[in-house]
Tab-separated table of all heavy atoms in Angstrom:
chain	number	residue	atom	x	y	z
M	1	ASP	N	11.464	11.713	-20.854
M	1	ASP	CA	10.933	12.260	-19.564
M	1	ASP	C	10.051	11.225	-18.925
M	1	ASP	O	9.052	10.842	-19.432
M	1	ASP	CB	10.218	13.513	-19.865
M	1	ASP	CG	9.610	14.279	-18.663
M	1	ASP	OD1	9.943	13.781	-17.568
M	1	ASP	OD2	8.918	15.234	-18.866
M	2	LEU	N	10.522	10.770	-17.742
M	2	LEU	CA	9.789	9.837	-16.953
M	2	LEU	C	8.305	10.225	-16.708
M	2	LEU	O	7.408	9.423	-16.733
M	2	LEU	CB	10.541	9.582	-15.671
M	2	LEU	CG	9.714	8.724	-14.583
M	2	LEU	CD1	9.604	7.290	-15.184
M	2	LEU	CD2	10.483	8.700	-13.263
M	3	ASN	N	8.154	11.527	-16.568
M	3	ASN	CA	6.809	11.958	-16.275
M	3	ASN	C	5.779	11.803	-17.378
M	3	ASN	O	4.582	11.918	-17.138
M	3	ASN	CB	6.858	13.444	-15.758
M	3	ASN	CG	7.542	13.587	-14.399
M	3	ASN	OD1	6.998	13.108	-13.423
M	3	ASN	ND2	8.797	13.986	-14.441
M	4	VAL	N	6.202	11.617	-18.558
M	4	VAL	CA	5.320	11.296	-19.642
M	4	VAL	C	4.716	9.915	-19.448
M	4	VAL	O	3.466	9.777	-19.655
M	4	VAL	CB	6.096	11.307	-21.017
M	4	VAL	CG1	5.156	10.807	-22.108
M	4	VAL	CG2	6.584	12.692	-21.289
M	5	ILE	N	5.398	8.961	-18.924
M	5	ILE	CA	4.926	7.665	-18.688
M	5	ILE	C	4.332	7.471	-17.291
M	5	ILE	O	3.288	6.908	-17.012
M	5	ILE	CB	6.008	6.586	-18.879
M	5	ILE	CG1	6.559	6.641	-20.298
M	5	ILE	CG2	5.544	5.180	-18.577
M	5	ILE	CD1	5.630	6.379	-21.419
M	6	PHE	N	5.047	7.962	-16.335
M	6	PHE	CA	4.613	7.832	-14.906
M	6	PHE	C	4.921	9.155	-14.194
M	6	PHE	O	6.043	9.480	-13.874
M	6	PHE	CB	5.490	6.735	-14.264
M	6	PHE	CG	5.000	6.306	-12.872
M	6	PHE	CD1	3.901	5.457	-12.826
M	6	PHE	CD2	5.614	6.744	-11.800
M	6	PHE	CE1	3.386	5.078	-11.518
M	6	PHE	CE2	5.170	6.327	-10.513
M	6	PHE	CZ	4.040	5.486	-10.430
M	7	PRO	N	3.889	9.990	-14.028
M	7	PRO	CA	4.017	11.362	-13.629
M	7	PRO	C	4.396	11.612	-12.123
M	7	PRO	O	3.798	12.405	-11.412
M	7	PRO	CB	2.675	12.001	-13.956
M	7	PRO	CG	1.693	10.906	-13.825
M	7	PRO	CD	2.485	9.644	-14.287
M	8	ILE	N	5.430	10.851	-11.622
M	8	ILE	CA	5.727	10.932	-10.240
M	8	ILE	C	6.206	12.324	-9.718
M	8	ILE	O	5.690	12.775	-8.701
M	8	ILE	CB	6.799	9.816	-9.886
M	8	ILE	CG1	7.133	9.847	-8.379
M	8	ILE	CG2	8.089	10.102	-10.605
M	8	ILE	CD1	5.934	9.483	-7.577
M	9	GLU	N	6.980	13.002	-10.487
M	9	GLU	CA	7.439	14.324	-10.098
M	9	GLU	C	6.246	15.330	-10.049
M	9	GLU	O	6.137	16.184	-9.206
M	9	GLU	CB	8.546	14.878	-11.019
M	9	GLU	CG	9.819	14.015	-10.852
M	9	GLU	CD	10.928	14.458	-11.790
M	9	GLU	OE1	10.602	15.058	-12.853
M	9	GLU	OE2	12.103	14.010	-11.573
M	10	ARG	N	5.312	15.260	-11.058
M	10	ARG	CA	4.205	16.094	-11.046
M	10	ARG	C	3.277	15.818	-9.827
M	10	ARG	O	2.716	16.743	-9.166
M	10	ARG	CB	3.367	15.946	-12.371
M	10	ARG	CG	4.022	16.201	-13.651
M	10	ARG	CD	4.585	17.643	-13.851
M	10	ARG	NE	5.834	17.902	-13.179
M	10	ARG	CZ	7.069	17.604	-13.572
M	10	ARG	NH1	7.265	16.968	-14.685
M	10	ARG	NH2	8.107	18.065	-12.899
M	11	LEU	N	3.146	14.505	-9.541
M	11	LEU	CA	2.314	14.124	-8.326
M	11	LEU	C	3.016	14.657	-7.025
M	11	LEU	O	2.288	15.104	-6.128
M	11	LEU	CB	2.153	12.583	-8.288
M	11	LEU	CG	1.295	12.070	-9.341
M	11	LEU	CD1	1.430	10.535	-9.357
M	11	LEU	CD2	-0.176	12.532	-9.186
M	12	GLN	N	4.279	14.514	-6.981
M	12	GLN	CA	4.947	15.036	-5.773
M	12	GLN	C	4.812	16.577	-5.673
M	12	GLN	O	4.664	17.081	-4.578
M	12	GLN	CB	6.545	14.716	-5.874
M	12	GLN	CG	6.748	13.190	-5.673
M	12	GLN	CD	8.160	12.795	-5.986
M	12	GLN	OE1	8.827	13.350	-6.876
M	12	GLN	NE2	8.635	11.664	-5.385
M	13	GLU	N	4.871	17.239	-6.812
M	13	GLU	CA	4.684	18.704	-6.728
M	13	GLU	C	3.258	19.048	-6.257
M	13	GLU	O	3.096	19.950	-5.455
M	13	GLU	CB	4.840	19.272	-8.188
M	13	GLU	CG	6.288	19.343	-8.609
M	13	GLU	CD	6.481	19.639	-10.080
M	13	GLU	OE1	5.474	19.891	-10.774
M	13	GLU	OE2	7.640	19.691	-10.496
M	14	LEU	N	2.253	18.275	-6.755
M	14	LEU	CA	0.870	18.467	-6.279
M	14	LEU	C	0.702	18.248	-4.813
M	14	LEU	O	0.024	18.982	-4.153
M	14	LEU	CB	-0.104	17.648	-7.049
M	14	LEU	CG	-0.264	17.989	-8.583
M	14	LEU	CD1	-1.076	16.936	-9.279
M	14	LEU	CD2	-0.990	19.347	-8.712
M	15	ALA	N	1.394	17.256	-4.283
M	15	ALA	CA	1.347	16.994	-2.817
M	15	ALA	C	1.984	18.080	-2.083
M	15	ALA	O	1.484	18.524	-1.058
M	15	ALA	CB	1.977	15.623	-2.519
M	16	THR	N	3.113	18.536	-2.512
M	16	THR	CA	3.850	19.688	-1.893
M	16	THR	C	2.988	20.904	-1.865
M	16	THR	O	3.013	21.693	-0.867
M	16	THR	CB	5.176	19.909	-2.567
M	16	THR	OG1	5.982	18.764	-2.534
M	16	THR	CG2	5.955	21.131	-1.953
M	17	GLU	N	2.316	21.212	-2.946
M	17	GLU	CA	1.427	22.368	-3.040
M	17	GLU	C	0.198	22.270	-2.225
M	17	GLU	O	-0.546	23.247	-2.064
M	17	GLU	CB	1.105	22.643	-4.524
M	17	GLU	CG	2.377	23.031	-5.324
M	17	GLU	CD	2.059	23.056	-6.841
M	17	GLU	OE1	0.862	22.738	-7.244
M	17	GLU	OE2	2.969	23.324	-7.599
M	18	GLY	N	-0.132	21.057	-1.906
M	18	GLY	CA	-1.378	20.844	-1.111
M	18	GLY	C	-2.581	20.566	-2.023
M	18	GLY	O	-3.703	20.465	-1.491
M	19	ALA	N	-2.387	20.373	-3.271
M	19	ALA	CA	-3.423	20.056	-4.190
M	19	ALA	C	-4.016	18.684	-3.989
M	19	ALA	O	-5.246	18.452	-4.264
M	19	ALA	CB	-3.060	20.294	-5.650
M	20	VAL	N	-3.180	17.790	-3.596
M	20	VAL	CA	-3.539	16.465	-3.076
M	20	VAL	C	-2.981	16.240	-1.710
M	20	VAL	O	-2.029	16.898	-1.309
M	20	VAL	CB	-3.039	15.345	-4.066
M	20	VAL	CG1	-3.672	15.532	-5.435
M	20	VAL	CG2	-1.545	15.318	-4.089
M	21	GLY	N	-3.627	15.385	-0.955
M	21	GLY	CA	-3.175	15.192	0.405
M	21	GLY	C	-1.840	14.681	0.612
M	21	GLY	O	-0.958	15.304	1.209
M	22	ALA	N	-1.536	13.518	0.002
M	22	ALA	CA	-0.210	12.889	0.119
M	22	ALA	C	-0.176	11.755	-0.839
M	22	ALA	O	-1.242	11.303	-1.418
M	22	ALA	CB	-0.030	12.360	1.592
M	23	LEU	N	0.996	11.203	-1.073
M	23	LEU	CA	1.166	10.034	-1.872
M	23	LEU	C	1.445	8.835	-0.984
M	23	LEU	O	2.046	8.970	0.072
M	23	LEU	CB	2.342	10.280	-2.869
M	23	LEU	CG	2.222	11.510	-3.774
M	23	LEU	CD1	3.480	11.632	-4.625
M	23	LEU	CD2	0.977	11.482	-4.625
M	24	THR	N	1.074	7.653	-1.482
M	24	THR	CA	1.372	6.474	-0.695
M	24	THR	C	2.825	6.137	-0.936
M	24	THR	O	3.462	6.613	-1.900
M	24	THR	CB	0.535	5.285	-1.217
M	24	THR	OG1	0.735	5.049	-2.638
M	24	THR	CG2	-0.945	5.527	-1.001
M	25	PRO	N	3.391	5.300	-0.053
M	25	PRO	CA	4.829	4.936	-0.192
M	25	PRO	C	5.136	3.993	-1.417
M	25	PRO	O	6.295	3.921	-1.839
M	25	PRO	CB	5.129	4.245	1.027
M	25	PRO	CG	3.896	3.763	1.577
M	25	PRO	CD	2.846	4.690	1.101
M	26	HIS	N	4.133	3.381	-2.038
M	26	HIS	CA	4.290	2.496	-3.078
M	26	HIS	C	3.624	2.856	-4.356
M	26	HIS	O	2.524	3.401	-4.303
M	26	HIS	CB	3.850	1.053	-2.731
M	26	HIS	CG	4.556	0.537	-1.485
M	26	HIS	ND1	3.929	0.436	-0.286
M	26	HIS	CD2	5.831	0.065	-1.255
M	26	HIS	CE1	4.783	-0.033	0.663
M	26	HIS	NE2	5.951	-0.250	0.052
M	27	PHE	N	4.271	2.626	-5.495
M	27	PHE	CA	3.665	2.844	-6.820
M	27	PHE	C	3.763	1.612	-7.611
M	27	PHE	O	4.711	0.833	-7.420
M	27	PHE	CB	4.408	4.014	-7.568
M	27	PHE	CG	4.436	5.292	-6.682
M	27	PHE	CD1	5.555	5.507	-5.847
M	27	PHE	CD2	3.388	6.199	-6.779
M	27	PHE	CE1	5.550	6.670	-5.078
M	27	PHE	CE2	3.387	7.320	-6.045
M	27	PHE	CZ	4.514	7.567	-5.201
M	28	PHE	N	2.813	1.404	-8.529
M	28	PHE	CA	2.783	0.119	-9.350
M	28	PHE	C	2.684	0.440	-10.725
M	28	PHE	O	2.042	1.343	-11.199
M	28	PHE	CB	1.474	-0.710	-8.892
M	28	PHE	CG	1.588	-0.958	-7.455
M	28	PHE	CD1	0.860	-0.178	-6.601
M	28	PHE	CD2	2.233	-2.127	-6.960
M	28	PHE	CE1	0.915	-0.413	-5.222
M	28	PHE	CE2	2.265	-2.395	-5.593
M	28	PHE	CZ	1.521	-1.485	-4.715
M	29	SER	N	3.442	-0.355	-11.568
M	29	SER	CA	3.435	-0.141	-13.018
M	29	SER	C	3.695	-1.508	-13.620
M	29	SER	O	4.378	-2.309	-13.128
M	29	SER	CB	4.590	0.765	-13.374
M	29	SER	OG	4.765	0.882	-14.723
M	30	PHE	N	2.996	-1.662	-14.757
M	30	PHE	CA	3.246	-2.834	-15.616
M	30	PHE	C	2.961	-2.518	-17.038
M	30	PHE	O	2.228	-1.618	-17.367
M	30	PHE	CB	2.499	-4.139	-15.132
M	30	PHE	CG	1.007	-3.899	-15.005
M	30	PHE	CD1	0.129	-4.255	-16.044
M	30	PHE	CD2	0.437	-3.436	-13.852
M	30	PHE	CE1	-1.158	-4.096	-15.931
M	30	PHE	CE2	-0.954	-3.275	-13.746
M	30	PHE	CZ	-1.769	-3.569	-14.783
M	31	ILE	N	3.640	-3.173	-17.933
M	31	ILE	CA	3.601	-2.870	-19.347
M	31	ILE	C	3.757	-4.206	-20.122
M	31	ILE	O	4.363	-5.124	-19.678
M	31	ILE	CB	4.619	-1.802	-19.688
M	31	ILE	CG1	4.454	-1.321	-21.120
M	31	ILE	CG2	6.048	-2.433	-19.516
M	31	ILE	CD1	5.285	-0.100	-21.403
M	32	GLY	N	3.273	-4.135	-21.322
M	32	GLY	CA	3.541	-5.244	-22.208
M	32	GLY	C	2.312	-6.023	-22.551
M	32	GLY	O	1.234	-5.786	-22.057
M	33	TYR	N	2.476	-6.889	-23.583
M	33	TYR	CA	1.446	-7.717	-24.062
M	33	TYR	C	1.111	-8.797	-23.095
M	33	TYR	O	2.016	-9.393	-22.503
M	33	TYR	CB	1.835	-8.360	-25.441
M	33	TYR	CG	0.859	-9.278	-25.990
M	33	TYR	CD1	-0.350	-8.828	-26.550
M	33	TYR	CD2	1.058	-10.658	-26.027
M	33	TYR	CE1	-1.303	-9.694	-27.044
M	33	TYR	CE2	0.153	-11.473	-26.520
M	33	TYR	CZ	-1.035	-11.029	-27.053
M	33	TYR	OH	-1.995	-11.860	-27.500
M	34	ASN	N	-0.156	-9.099	-22.864
M	34	ASN	CA	-0.539	-10.121	-21.919
M	34	ASN	C	-1.394	-11.166	-22.672
M	34	ASN	O	-2.399	-10.797	-23.223
M	34	ASN	CB	-1.277	-9.525	-20.829
M	34	ASN	CG	-1.710	-10.484	-19.766
M	34	ASN	OD1	-1.628	-11.701	-19.984
M	34	ASN	ND2	-2.071	-10.066	-18.666
M	35	MET	N	-0.912	-12.407	-22.696
M	35	MET	CA	-1.719	-13.453	-23.369
M	35	MET	C	-2.850	-13.949	-22.616
M	35	MET	O	-3.660	-14.714	-23.106
M	35	MET	CB	-0.696	-14.535	-23.800
M	35	MET	CG	0.283	-14.090	-24.885
M	35	MET	SD	1.436	-15.311	-25.431
M	35	MET	CE	0.302	-16.489	-26.172
M	36	ASP	N	-2.817	-13.741	-21.299
M	36	ASP	CA	-3.870	-14.274	-20.428
M	36	ASP	C	-4.438	-13.280	-19.511
M	36	ASP	O	-4.140	-13.071	-18.371
M	36	ASP	CB	-3.220	-15.456	-19.606
M	36	ASP	CG	-4.323	-16.254	-18.775
M	36	ASP	OD1	-5.484	-15.866	-18.825
M	36	ASP	OD2	-3.864	-17.265	-18.222
M	37	ALA	N	-5.371	-12.469	-20.140
M	37	ALA	CA	-5.946	-11.274	-19.387
M	37	ALA	C	-6.740	-11.800	-18.119
M	37	ALA	O	-6.757	-11.098	-17.104
M	37	ALA	CB	-6.858	-10.472	-20.307
M	38	GLU	N	-7.417	-12.921	-18.232
M	38	GLU	CA	-8.160	-13.418	-17.062
M	38	GLU	C	-7.270	-13.743	-15.921
M	38	GLU	O	-7.536	-13.432	-14.720
M	38	GLU	CB	-8.982	-14.625	-17.468
M	38	GLU	CG	-10.097	-14.299	-18.383
M	38	GLU	CD	-10.981	-15.521	-18.760
M	38	GLU	OE1	-10.828	-16.595	-18.075
M	38	GLU	OE2	-11.678	-15.474	-19.769
M	39	ARG	N	-6.088	-14.293	-16.203
M	39	ARG	CA	-5.141	-14.687	-15.148
M	39	ARG	C	-4.571	-13.327	-14.559
M	39	ARG	O	-4.470	-13.232	-13.319
M	39	ARG	CB	-3.964	-15.502	-15.673
M	39	ARG	CG	-3.001	-15.767	-14.614
M	39	ARG	CD	-1.981	-16.825	-15.138
M	39	ARG	NE	-0.946	-17.079	-14.114
M	39	ARG	CZ	0.313	-16.645	-14.212
M	39	ARG	NH1	0.716	-16.016	-15.395
M	39	ARG	NH2	1.168	-16.904	-13.324
M	40	LEU	N	-4.263	-12.403	-15.390
M	40	LEU	CA	-3.874	-11.075	-14.927
M	40	LEU	C	-4.856	-10.461	-14.009
M	40	LEU	O	-4.583	-9.966	-12.875
M	40	LEU	CB	-3.606	-10.145	-16.091
M	40	LEU	CG	-3.277	-8.682	-15.731
M	40	LEU	CD1	-1.765	-8.678	-15.125
M	40	LEU	CD2	-3.300	-7.755	-16.876
M	41	GLU	N	-6.115	-10.521	-14.334
M	41	GLU	CA	-7.150	-9.941	-13.465
M	41	GLU	C	-7.345	-10.737	-12.179
M	41	GLU	O	-7.474	-10.073	-11.193
M	41	GLU	CB	-8.542	-9.988	-14.283
M	41	GLU	CG	-9.593	-9.298	-13.531
M	41	GLU	CD	-10.958	-9.310	-14.292
M	41	GLU	OE1	-10.891	-9.629	-15.459
M	41	GLU	OE2	-11.974	-9.024	-13.638
M	42	ARG	N	-7.220	-12.033	-12.236
M	42	ARG	CA	-7.327	-12.814	-11.029
M	42	ARG	C	-6.202	-12.671	-10.023
M	42	ARG	O	-6.427	-12.765	-8.853
M	42	ARG	CB	-7.530	-14.338	-11.416
M	42	ARG	CG	-8.827	-14.728	-11.912
M	42	ARG	CD	-8.977	-16.277	-11.950
M	42	ARG	NE	-7.724	-16.962	-12.463
M	42	ARG	CZ	-7.379	-17.217	-13.713
M	42	ARG	NH1	-8.226	-16.816	-14.692
M	42	ARG	NH2	-6.285	-17.827	-14.005
M	43	THR	N	-5.057	-12.485	-10.578
M	43	THR	CA	-3.824	-12.477	-9.634
M	43	THR	C	-3.282	-11.164	-9.536
M	43	THR	O	-3.405	-10.502	-8.423
M	43	THR	CB	-2.820	-13.489	-10.220
M	43	THR	OG1	-2.422	-13.077	-11.524
M	43	THR	CG2	-3.267	-14.862	-10.257
M	44	LEU	N	-2.620	-10.608	-10.524
M	44	LEU	CA	-1.905	-9.325	-10.342
M	44	LEU	C	-2.860	-8.191	-10.025
M	44	LEU	O	-2.516	-7.432	-9.085
M	44	LEU	CB	-1.117	-9.011	-11.615
M	44	LEU	CG	-0.320	-7.738	-11.630
M	44	LEU	CD1	0.776	-7.865	-10.521
M	44	LEU	CD2	0.363	-7.474	-12.980
M	45	ALA	N	-3.987	-8.085	-10.617
M	45	ALA	CA	-4.840	-6.976	-10.333
M	45	ALA	C	-5.349	-7.036	-8.902
M	45	ALA	O	-5.371	-6.013	-8.267
M	45	ALA	CB	-6.073	-6.990	-11.351
M	46	GLU	N	-5.687	-8.199	-8.434
M	46	GLU	CA	-6.179	-8.345	-7.053
M	46	GLU	C	-5.010	-8.024	-6.045
M	46	GLU	O	-5.261	-7.350	-5.038
M	46	GLU	CB	-6.663	-9.751	-6.797
M	46	GLU	CG	-8.028	-10.025	-7.519
M	46	GLU	CD	-8.626	-11.336	-7.218
M	46	GLU	OE1	-8.030	-12.090	-6.312
M	46	GLU	OE2	-9.494	-11.757	-7.922
M	47	GLU	N	-3.807	-8.452	-6.383
M	47	GLU	CA	-2.720	-8.167	-5.478
M	47	GLU	C	-2.348	-6.703	-5.450
M	47	GLU	O	-2.133	-6.199	-4.351
M	47	GLU	CB	-1.443	-9.046	-5.961
M	47	GLU	CG	-1.647	-10.460	-5.680
M	47	GLU	CD	-0.488	-11.328	-6.353
M	47	GLU	OE1	0.495	-10.743	-6.794
M	47	GLU	OE2	-0.664	-12.551	-6.327
M	48	ILE	N	-2.451	-6.092	-6.578
M	48	ILE	CA	-2.138	-4.601	-6.606
M	48	ILE	C	-3.266	-3.915	-5.799
M	48	ILE	O	-3.039	-2.957	-4.998
M	48	ILE	CB	-2.027	-4.067	-8.052
M	48	ILE	CG1	-0.773	-4.570	-8.663
M	48	ILE	CG2	-2.149	-2.526	-8.032
M	48	ILE	CD1	-0.614	-4.265	-10.143
M	49	ALA	N	-4.524	-4.248	-6.018
M	49	ALA	CA	-5.677	-3.644	-5.326
M	49	ALA	C	-5.544	-3.831	-3.790
M	49	ALA	O	-5.691	-2.859	-3.037
M	49	ALA	CB	-6.994	-4.258	-5.772
M	50	ASP	N	-5.106	-4.998	-3.385
M	50	ASP	CA	-4.877	-5.291	-1.935
M	50	ASP	C	-3.768	-4.408	-1.402
M	50	ASP	O	-3.870	-3.864	-0.285
M	50	ASP	CB	-4.565	-6.739	-1.729
M	50	ASP	CG	-5.735	-7.705	-1.958
M	50	ASP	OD1	-6.934	-7.163	-2.005
M	50	ASP	OD2	-5.564	-8.838	-2.087
M	51	ALA	N	-2.716	-4.239	-2.180
M	51	ALA	CA	-1.560	-3.422	-1.713
M	51	ALA	C	-1.930	-1.980	-1.644
M	51	ALA	O	-1.550	-1.284	-0.716
M	51	ALA	CB	-0.414	-3.611	-2.658
M	52	VAL	N	-2.763	-1.529	-2.581
M	52	VAL	CA	-3.231	-0.021	-2.524
M	52	VAL	C	-4.074	0.123	-1.306
M	52	VAL	O	-3.958	1.160	-0.597
M	52	VAL	CB	-3.976	0.318	-3.858
M	52	VAL	CG1	-4.664	1.653	-3.719
M	52	VAL	CG2	-3.036	0.232	-5.038
M	53	VAL	N	-4.990	-0.737	-1.071
M	53	VAL	CA	-5.790	-0.640	0.163
M	53	VAL	C	-4.959	-0.700	1.442
M	53	VAL	O	-5.139	0.056	2.307
M	53	VAL	CB	-6.865	-1.809	0.197
M	53	VAL	CG1	-7.601	-1.895	1.549
M	53	VAL	CG2	-7.870	-1.592	-0.944
M	54	ALA	N	-3.966	-1.554	1.424
M	54	ALA	CA	-3.053	-1.709	2.605
M	54	ALA	C	-2.283	-0.418	2.819
M	54	ALA	O	-1.908	-0.031	3.987
M	54	ALA	CB	-2.124	-2.840	2.476
M	55	ASP	N	-1.960	0.357	1.747
M	55	ASP	CA	-1.267	1.675	1.878
M	55	ASP	C	-2.205	2.753	2.306
M	55	ASP	O	-1.770	3.860	2.593
M	55	ASP	CB	-0.701	2.016	0.517
M	55	ASP	CG	0.710	1.417	0.284
M	55	ASP	OD1	1.235	0.781	1.296
M	55	ASP	OD2	1.222	1.582	-0.824
M	56	GLY	N	-3.536	2.477	2.398
M	56	GLY	CA	-4.458	3.471	2.893
M	56	GLY	C	-4.840	4.512	1.872
M	56	GLY	O	-5.220	5.631	2.239
M	57	ALA	N	-4.656	4.170	0.615
M	57	ALA	CA	-5.051	5.195	-0.471
M	57	ALA	C	-6.497	5.371	-0.559
M	57	ALA	O	-7.325	4.506	-0.359
M	57	ALA	CB	-4.570	4.568	-1.782
M	58	ASP	N	-6.871	6.658	-0.775
M	58	ASP	CA	-8.290	7.052	-0.912
M	58	ASP	C	-8.661	7.026	-2.399
M	58	ASP	O	-9.844	6.810	-2.713
M	58	ASP	CB	-8.509	8.539	-0.457
M	58	ASP	CG	-8.309	8.628	1.052
M	58	ASP	OD1	-8.773	7.689	1.770
M	58	ASP	OD2	-7.761	9.622	1.463
M	59	VAL	N	-7.712	7.211	-3.293
M	59	VAL	CA	-7.949	7.153	-4.778
M	59	VAL	C	-6.715	6.548	-5.412
M	59	VAL	O	-5.711	6.517	-4.820
M	59	VAL	CB	-8.225	8.608	-5.367
M	59	VAL	CG1	-9.483	9.229	-4.759
M	59	VAL	CG2	-7.007	9.432	-5.208
M	60	ALA	N	-6.939	6.236	-6.668
M	60	ALA	CA	-5.825	5.585	-7.454
M	60	ALA	C	-5.775	6.345	-8.793
M	60	ALA	O	-6.852	6.621	-9.442
M	60	ALA	CB	-6.062	4.106	-7.679
M	61	LEU	N	-4.629	6.716	-9.277
M	61	LEU	CA	-4.484	7.356	-10.600
M	61	LEU	C	-3.982	6.287	-11.515
M	61	LEU	O	-2.951	5.620	-11.315
M	61	LEU	CB	-3.450	8.510	-10.438
M	61	LEU	CG	-3.064	9.042	-11.803
M	61	LEU	CD1	-4.208	9.843	-12.415
M	61	LEU	CD2	-1.869	10.015	-11.600
M	62	MET	N	-4.705	6.128	-12.633
M	62	MET	CA	-4.253	5.154	-13.641
M	62	MET	C	-3.780	6.037	-14.849
M	62	MET	O	-4.562	6.889	-15.314
M	62	MET	CB	-5.372	4.232	-14.022
M	62	MET	CG	-5.824	3.410	-12.860
M	62	MET	SD	-7.189	2.312	-13.126
M	62	MET	CE	-6.411	1.214	-14.322
M	63	SER	N	-2.623	5.756	-15.274
M	63	SER	CA	-2.056	6.562	-16.353
M	63	SER	C	-1.582	5.637	-17.554
M	63	SER	O	-0.606	4.995	-17.383
M	63	SER	CB	-0.740	7.329	-15.784
M	63	SER	OG	-0.146	8.004	-16.785
M	64	PRO	N	-2.415	5.648	-18.579
M	64	PRO	CA	-1.959	4.758	-19.712
M	64	PRO	C	-0.768	5.316	-20.436
M	64	PRO	O	-0.630	6.510	-20.565
M	64	PRO	CB	-3.251	4.805	-20.592
M	64	PRO	CG	-3.852	6.092	-20.352
M	64	PRO	CD	-3.568	6.432	-18.849
M	65	ALA	N	0.023	4.366	-20.892
M	65	ALA	CA	1.217	4.817	-21.623
M	65	ALA	C	0.986	4.724	-23.077
M	65	ALA	O	0.260	3.948	-23.556
M	65	ALA	CB	2.433	3.996	-21.199
């Protein structure tokens, strides 16, 4: 079940019910072992944060797998 890892259908249901305002058009996911956490933080994390801001998100949901 995809929603166990990434609860997109549950989020869509919450948006339809009005429990949350709306969802942004983009979603981000990454998985796996990372040998260079500092590089991840400097590059990927900043790029994802910039993209979330560009989408106009008010909040972000982080869902650990």
